[in-house]
Amino acid sequence: DMVTQLGGLSGNAAAEAPIQTYTVQQASTLRSSPTGGSVVRALPTGLRLYPTGKREGTWWEVMDDNDNIGWVQNERLAPGT
């Protein structure tokens, strides 16, 4: 409460937290489901993605800047800056 009263954070600290981003390091595809889902779109090297928090093995569910959501293998990603 003290931090909120001092104006450091709003009442919803989770919404204020920075979102982790990842960058595509090797051209890949965004898929509708892990291991064999249909292709949602191509992922060029350098594209920024946002993890949703869902994971299945080496597959992570992510969202791009256009709100496309799908799955990509995590070894093709690197932490963004």
Side-chain angles (χ1 to χ4, degrees):
D1 287 336
M2 185 171 76
V3 173
T4 301
Q5 291 171 358
L6 294 174
L9 293 174
S10 71
N12 187 355
E16 298 290 329
I19 297 172
Q20 175 69 48
T21 64
Y22 287 86
T23 303
V24 176
Q25 294 299 297
Q26 182 181 7
S28 185
T29 53
L30 187 67
R31 299 200 168 264
S32 61
S33 62
T35 62
S38 61
V39 174
V40 174
R41 68 167 289 195
L43 300 175
T45 301
L47 183 71
R48 184 176 39 212
L49 298 171
Y50 309 91
T52 66
K54 294 181 183 177
R55 296 179 181 183
E56 285 191 27
T58 62
W59 291 83
W60 289 0
E61 187 182 60
V62 295
M63 181 174 65
D64 67 11
D65 286 330
N66 295 322
D67 295 332
N68 292 306
I69 296 176
W71 295 82
V72 65
Q73 289 180 307
N74 66 359
E75 61 262 10
R76 298 183 184 264
L77 305 177
T81 56

